[in-house]
Short mmCIF file of all heavy atoms in Angstrom, two decimals:
data_model
loop_
_atom_site.label_atom_id
_atom_site.label_comp_id
_atom_site.label_asym_id
_atom_site.label_seq_id
_atom_site.Cartn_x
_atom_site.Cartn_y
_atom_site.Cartn_z
N ARG P 91 -56.11 54.25 163.71
CA ARG P 91 -54.96 53.97 164.69
C ARG P 91 -54.91 52.51 164.74
O ARG P 91 -55.82 51.79 164.90
CB ARG P 91 -55.33 54.45 166.03
CG ARG P 91 -55.39 56.03 166.09
CD ARG P 91 -55.56 56.58 167.46
NE ARG P 91 -55.68 57.97 167.47
CZ ARG P 91 -54.64 58.96 167.44
NH1 ARG P 91 -53.42 58.54 167.38
NH2 ARG P 91 -54.86 60.27 167.41
N LEU P 153 -51.75 53.13 184.26
CA LEU P 153 -52.60 54.21 183.76
C LEU P 153 -54.08 53.97 183.63
O LEU P 153 -54.89 54.78 183.73
CB LEU P 153 -51.97 54.47 182.33
CG LEU P 153 -50.49 55.08 182.43
CD1 LEU P 153 -50.01 55.25 180.95
CD2 LEU P 153 -50.48 56.36 183.10
N PHE P 165 -59.43 57.44 180.35
CA PHE P 165 -58.95 57.97 179.18
C PHE P 165 -58.92 59.44 179.15
O PHE P 165 -57.84 60.08 178.77
CB PHE P 165 -59.93 57.48 178.11
CG PHE P 165 -59.73 58.11 176.76
CD1 PHE P 165 -58.63 57.82 175.97
CD2 PHE P 165 -60.66 59.03 176.19
CE1 PHE P 165 -58.43 58.42 174.83
CE2 PHE P 165 -60.43 59.69 175.03
CZ PHE P 165 -59.26 59.36 174.23
N ARG P 168 -56.07 60.57 182.01
CA ARG P 168 -54.60 60.20 181.89
C ARG P 168 -54.10 59.86 180.42
O ARG P 168 -52.91 59.83 180.20
CB ARG P 168 -54.15 59.11 182.73
CG ARG P 168 -54.30 59.36 184.21
CD ARG P 168 -53.99 58.16 185.09
NE ARG P 168 -54.98 57.11 184.99
CZ ARG P 168 -56.10 57.12 185.75
NH1 ARG P 168 -56.29 58.11 186.56
NH2 ARG P 168 -56.88 56.16 185.65
N ILE P 169 -55.00 59.72 179.44
CA ILE P 169 -54.57 59.26 178.17
C ILE P 169 -54.74 60.31 177.09
O ILE P 169 -53.81 60.55 176.27
CB ILE P 169 -55.44 57.96 177.75
CG1 ILE P 169 -55.32 57.02 178.84
CG2 ILE P 169 -54.94 57.48 176.42
CD1 ILE P 169 -53.94 56.46 179.15
N ARG P 170 -55.89 60.82 176.94
CA ARG P 170 -56.30 61.69 175.83
C ARG P 170 -55.29 62.77 175.64
O ARG P 170 -54.67 63.08 174.48
CB ARG P 170 -57.63 62.31 175.78
CG ARG P 170 -58.07 62.99 174.48
CD ARG P 170 -59.27 63.85 174.65
NE ARG P 170 -60.52 63.24 174.82
CZ ARG P 170 -61.26 62.66 173.70
NH1 ARG P 170 -60.72 62.74 172.49
NH2 ARG P 170 -62.40 62.16 173.91
N ASN P 171 -55.08 63.64 176.55
CA ASN P 171 -54.19 64.82 176.48
C ASN P 171 -52.76 64.72 177.17
O ASN P 171 -51.96 65.67 176.80
CB ASN P 171 -54.92 66.05 177.10
CG ASN P 171 -56.30 66.25 176.38
OD1 ASN P 171 -56.37 66.39 175.19
ND2 ASN P 171 -57.39 66.32 177.16
N ASN P 172 -52.54 63.84 177.96
CA ASN P 172 -51.25 63.68 178.64
C ASN P 172 -50.15 63.22 177.60
O ASN P 172 -50.29 62.47 176.74
CB ASN P 172 -51.36 62.59 179.76
CG ASN P 172 -52.16 63.09 180.89
OD1 ASN P 172 -53.21 63.74 180.66
ND2 ASN P 172 -51.81 62.60 182.01
N VAL P 173 -48.90 63.82 177.85
CA VAL P 173 -47.87 63.54 177.01
C VAL P 173 -46.74 62.92 177.97
O VAL P 173 -46.19 63.62 178.90
CB VAL P 173 -47.20 64.85 176.38
CG1 VAL P 173 -45.98 64.45 175.55
CG2 VAL P 173 -48.26 65.39 175.41
N TYR P 174 -46.52 61.71 177.65
CA TYR P 174 -45.45 61.00 178.50
C TYR P 174 -44.31 60.70 177.79
O TYR P 174 -44.20 60.57 176.49
CB TYR P 174 -46.04 59.52 178.90
CG TYR P 174 -47.37 59.54 179.72
CD1 TYR P 174 -48.54 59.52 179.06
CD2 TYR P 174 -47.30 59.70 181.09
CE1 TYR P 174 -49.76 59.47 179.83
CE2 TYR P 174 -48.48 59.67 181.82
CZ TYR P 174 -49.68 59.57 181.16
OH TYR P 174 -50.85 59.61 181.98
N GLU P 175 -43.07 60.90 178.44
CA GLU P 175 -41.83 60.55 177.79
C GLU P 175 -41.59 59.01 177.92
O GLU P 175 -41.90 58.42 178.98
CB GLU P 175 -40.61 61.29 178.56
CG GLU P 175 -40.67 62.77 178.35
CD GLU P 175 -40.42 63.11 176.91
OE1 GLU P 175 -39.59 62.42 176.22
OE2 GLU P 175 -41.00 64.15 176.44
N LEU P 179 -42.41 56.11 181.01
CA LEU P 179 -43.26 54.91 180.91
C LEU P 179 -42.48 53.66 181.45
O LEU P 179 -43.01 52.84 182.27
CB LEU P 179 -43.69 54.65 179.51
CG LEU P 179 -44.44 55.71 178.78
CD1 LEU P 179 -44.74 55.38 177.39
CD2 LEU P 179 -45.81 56.05 179.56
N PHE P 237 -46.30 58.10 162.03
CA PHE P 237 -46.17 58.12 163.42
C PHE P 237 -45.86 59.60 163.86
O PHE P 237 -44.76 60.06 163.71
CB PHE P 237 -44.96 57.27 163.88
CG PHE P 237 -44.80 57.12 165.29
CD1 PHE P 237 -45.43 56.21 166.04
CD2 PHE P 237 -43.98 58.03 166.02
CE1 PHE P 237 -45.33 55.94 167.36
CE2 PHE P 237 -43.75 57.84 167.37
CZ PHE P 237 -44.43 56.82 168.16
N THR P 238 -46.89 60.25 164.46
CA THR P 238 -46.83 61.57 164.78
C THR P 238 -47.04 61.83 166.32
O THR P 238 -47.28 62.96 166.69
CB THR P 238 -47.80 62.45 163.99
OG1 THR P 238 -49.16 61.94 164.28
CG2 THR P 238 -47.57 62.37 162.50
N VAL P 239 -46.87 60.81 167.14
CA VAL P 239 -46.96 61.12 168.57
C VAL P 239 -46.03 62.19 169.05
O VAL P 239 -44.79 62.21 168.61
CB VAL P 239 -46.54 59.72 169.31
CG1 VAL P 239 -46.54 59.86 170.80
CG2 VAL P 239 -47.49 58.58 168.86
N PRO P 240 -46.54 63.11 169.89
CA PRO P 240 -47.75 63.21 170.46
C PRO P 240 -48.89 64.08 169.76
O PRO P 240 -49.79 64.50 170.48
CB PRO P 240 -47.40 63.89 171.83
CG PRO P 240 -46.33 64.78 171.46
CD PRO P 240 -45.59 64.11 170.37
N GLN P 241 -48.79 64.32 168.49
CA GLN P 241 -49.75 65.12 167.83
C GLN P 241 -51.12 64.36 168.01
O GLN P 241 -51.23 63.05 167.79
CB GLN P 241 -49.45 65.19 166.41
CG GLN P 241 -50.43 66.03 165.52
CD GLN P 241 -49.99 66.02 164.02
OE1 GLN P 241 -48.80 66.54 163.83
NE2 GLN P 241 -50.83 65.78 163.15
N LYS P 242 -52.21 65.04 168.30
CA LYS P 242 -53.45 64.38 168.65
C LYS P 242 -54.31 63.99 167.43
O LYS P 242 -55.15 63.07 167.49
CB LYS P 242 -54.26 65.18 169.66
CG LYS P 242 -53.64 65.32 171.04
CD LYS P 242 -54.26 66.33 171.79
CE LYS P 242 -55.76 66.07 172.01
NZ LYS P 242 -56.36 67.07 172.97
N THR P 243 -54.22 64.71 166.31
CA THR P 243 -55.13 64.61 165.29
C THR P 243 -54.65 63.51 164.27
O THR P 243 -53.37 63.20 164.23
CB THR P 243 -55.45 65.91 164.56
OG1 THR P 243 -54.13 66.38 164.12
CG2 THR P 243 -55.99 66.90 165.47
N ILE P 244 -55.56 62.91 163.39
CA ILE P 244 -55.23 62.15 162.31
C ILE P 244 -55.41 62.94 161.10
O ILE P 244 -56.45 63.30 160.79
CB ILE P 244 -56.07 60.83 162.32
CG1 ILE P 244 -55.85 60.06 163.66
CG2 ILE P 244 -55.66 60.03 161.12
CD1 ILE P 244 -56.77 58.84 163.76
N SER P 265 -63.13 59.17 170.58
CA SER P 265 -61.73 59.11 171.16
C SER P 265 -60.66 59.21 170.15
O SER P 265 -59.52 58.84 170.34
CB SER P 265 -61.61 57.73 171.92
OG SER P 265 -61.86 56.67 171.09
N THR P 266 -61.08 59.80 168.98
CA THR P 266 -60.11 59.90 167.87
C THR P 266 -58.93 60.63 168.23
O THR P 266 -57.72 60.23 167.92
CB THR P 266 -60.83 60.52 166.64
OG1 THR P 266 -62.00 59.76 166.34
CG2 THR P 266 -59.86 60.47 165.45
N GLU P 267 -59.10 61.91 168.84
CA GLU P 267 -57.97 62.68 169.09
C GLU P 267 -57.39 62.30 170.47
O GLU P 267 -58.07 62.36 171.49
CB GLU P 267 -58.48 64.14 169.19
CG GLU P 267 -58.83 64.69 167.81
CD GLU P 267 -58.99 66.19 167.81
OE1 GLU P 267 -58.77 66.86 168.81
OE2 GLU P 267 -59.28 66.74 166.69
N GLN P 268 -56.09 61.92 170.40
CA GLN P 268 -55.46 61.54 171.61
C GLN P 268 -54.01 61.54 171.30
O GLN P 268 -53.58 61.43 170.07
CB GLN P 268 -55.77 60.00 172.01
CG GLN P 268 -55.77 59.10 170.89
CD GLN P 268 -56.29 57.61 171.34
OE1 GLN P 268 -55.55 56.92 172.07
NE2 GLN P 268 -57.37 57.26 170.87
N THR P 269 -53.06 61.75 172.34
CA THR P 269 -51.59 61.81 172.09
C THR P 269 -51.01 60.55 171.65
O THR P 269 -50.00 60.49 170.97
CB THR P 269 -51.00 62.45 173.30
OG1 THR P 269 -50.87 61.45 174.29
CG2 THR P 269 -51.52 63.69 173.65
N ALA P 270 -51.54 59.44 172.17
CA ALA P 270 -50.95 57.99 171.96
C ALA P 270 -49.56 57.95 172.53
O ALA P 270 -48.83 56.93 172.30
CB ALA P 270 -50.90 57.64 170.50
N SER P 271 -49.10 58.88 173.31
CA SER P 271 -47.78 58.84 174.00
C SER P 271 -47.72 57.77 175.00
O SER P 271 -46.58 57.34 175.33
CB SER P 271 -47.39 60.15 174.52
OG SER P 271 -48.22 60.52 175.62
N TRP P 272 -48.85 57.36 175.51
CA TRP P 272 -48.81 56.34 176.65
C TRP P 272 -48.47 54.96 176.12
O TRP P 272 -48.10 54.18 176.88
CB TRP P 272 -50.15 56.42 177.34
CG TRP P 272 -51.26 55.56 176.66
CD1 TRP P 272 -51.71 55.85 175.40
CD2 TRP P 272 -51.91 54.46 177.10
NE1 TRP P 272 -52.73 54.97 175.06
CE2 TRP P 272 -52.85 54.16 176.06
CE3 TRP P 272 -51.99 53.74 178.27
CZ2 TRP P 272 -53.78 53.04 176.23
CZ3 TRP P 272 -52.86 52.70 178.43
CH2 TRP P 272 -53.78 52.39 177.42
N VAL P 273 -48.49 54.76 174.81
CA VAL P 273 -48.00 53.53 174.22
C VAL P 273 -46.90 53.70 173.23
O VAL P 273 -46.29 52.71 172.85
CB VAL P 273 -49.20 52.71 173.57
CG1 VAL P 273 -50.03 52.04 174.66
CG2 VAL P 273 -49.97 53.54 172.69
N TRP P 274 -46.57 54.86 172.76
CA TRP P 274 -45.46 55.25 171.94
C TRP P 274 -45.15 54.03 170.94
O TRP P 274 -45.96 53.80 170.09
CB TRP P 274 -44.24 55.54 172.87
CG TRP P 274 -43.16 56.22 172.21
CD1 TRP P 274 -43.21 57.36 171.49
CD2 TRP P 274 -41.82 55.78 172.22
NE1 TRP P 274 -41.92 57.64 171.00
CE2 TRP P 274 -41.09 56.79 171.27
CE3 TRP P 274 -41.12 54.73 172.76
CZ2 TRP P 274 -39.70 56.69 171.15
CZ3 TRP P 274 -39.75 54.60 172.45
CH2 TRP P 274 -39.02 55.65 171.74
N GLY P 277 -47.58 51.17 170.22
CA GLY P 277 -49.00 51.28 169.70
C GLY P 277 -49.32 52.50 169.01
O GLY P 277 -50.51 52.80 168.85
N GLY P 278 -48.34 53.44 168.62
CA GLY P 278 -48.77 54.80 168.26
C GLY P 278 -48.94 55.00 166.73
O GLY P 278 -49.18 56.09 166.31
N VAL P 279 -48.82 53.96 165.90
CA VAL P 279 -48.84 54.13 164.41
C VAL P 279 -50.12 54.34 163.91
O VAL P 279 -51.13 53.69 164.44
CB VAL P 279 -48.13 52.91 163.72
CG1 VAL P 279 -48.52 52.86 162.20
CG2 VAL P 279 -46.62 52.94 163.85
N VAL P 280 -50.38 55.21 162.94
CA VAL P 280 -51.68 55.34 162.22
C VAL P 280 -51.37 54.85 160.74
O VAL P 280 -50.37 55.01 160.12
CB VAL P 280 -52.05 56.83 162.14
CG1 VAL P 280 -53.24 56.99 161.16
CG2 VAL P 280 -52.38 57.35 163.60
N VAL P 344 -56.45 50.18 170.47
CA VAL P 344 -56.15 51.42 171.05
C VAL P 344 -57.50 52.26 171.03
O VAL P 344 -58.35 52.06 170.21
CB VAL P 344 -55.01 52.17 170.36
CG1 VAL P 344 -55.46 52.67 168.97
CG2 VAL P 344 -54.57 53.36 171.27
N GLN P 345 -57.69 53.09 172.03
CA GLN P 345 -58.92 53.63 172.38
C GLN P 345 -59.74 54.07 171.15
O GLN P 345 -59.37 54.94 170.42
CB GLN P 345 -58.86 54.86 173.28
CG GLN P 345 -58.51 54.54 174.71
CD GLN P 345 -56.94 54.43 174.93
OE1 GLN P 345 -56.20 54.53 173.99
NE2 GLN P 345 -56.49 54.28 176.07
#
Side-chain angles (χ1 to χ4, degrees):
R91 298 186 184 277
L153 296 177
F165 173 69
R168 290 182 291 276
I169 306 301
R170 187 194 289 278
N171 299 308
N172 291 35
V173 176
Y174 299 95
E175 292 297 324
L179 301 179
F237 183 87
T238 58
V239 175
Q241 180 178 310
K242 291 169 58 177
T243 58
I244 301 177
S265 55
T266 307
E267 293 193 359
Q268 52 182 287
T269 70
S271 68
W272 78 302
V273 283
W274 195 53
V279 164
V280 172
V344 67
Q345 289 88 352

